[in-house]
Amino acid sequence: QVQLVESGGGLVQVGGSLRLSCAASGTIFSFAATGWHRQAPGKQRELVARLSIGGSTTYADSVKGRFTISRDNAKNTVYLQMNSLKPDDTAVYYCAGFRIGRWDTWGQGTQVTVSS
């Protein structure tokens, strides 16, 4: 089965940028879509960005205009470019794959902390 591994998280100041990476051990095209989710302590997990197998993208209103999801097909890797970061962006970010009607494959998560 495909495995996903996230990297690129860290500590950044308000207004800064980070790029997260999600490397797949198998082809990412085994999924109908890939996406990035985040979860802050005490808060609901939130889908922030989605990329379909055909290349269409969807973003949560909270990140629209600031975050960009993309992929490198040759490297079998999905990215999340995060700009103009805010304290409310602080969370653990997870890469996931969607198939058969659900997000069924998840990475281990990477911490993003935005300091005021």
Side-chain angles (χ1 to χ4, degrees), residues 2-13:
V2 175
Q3 291 185 314
L4 305 174
V5 179
E6 302 99 330
S7 62
L11 176 64
V12 64
Q13 293 192 22

Side-chain angles (χ1 to χ4, degrees), residues 6-10 20-21 36 91-95 107-113:
E6 302 99 330
S7 62
L20 307 183
S21 298
W36 289 93
V92 177
Y93 284 72
Y94 298 90
C95 181
Q108 84 287 353
T110 185
Q111 176 71 45
V112 172
T113 302

Side-chain angles (χ1 to χ4, degrees), residues 61 103 110:
D61 288 342
W103 298 97
T110 185

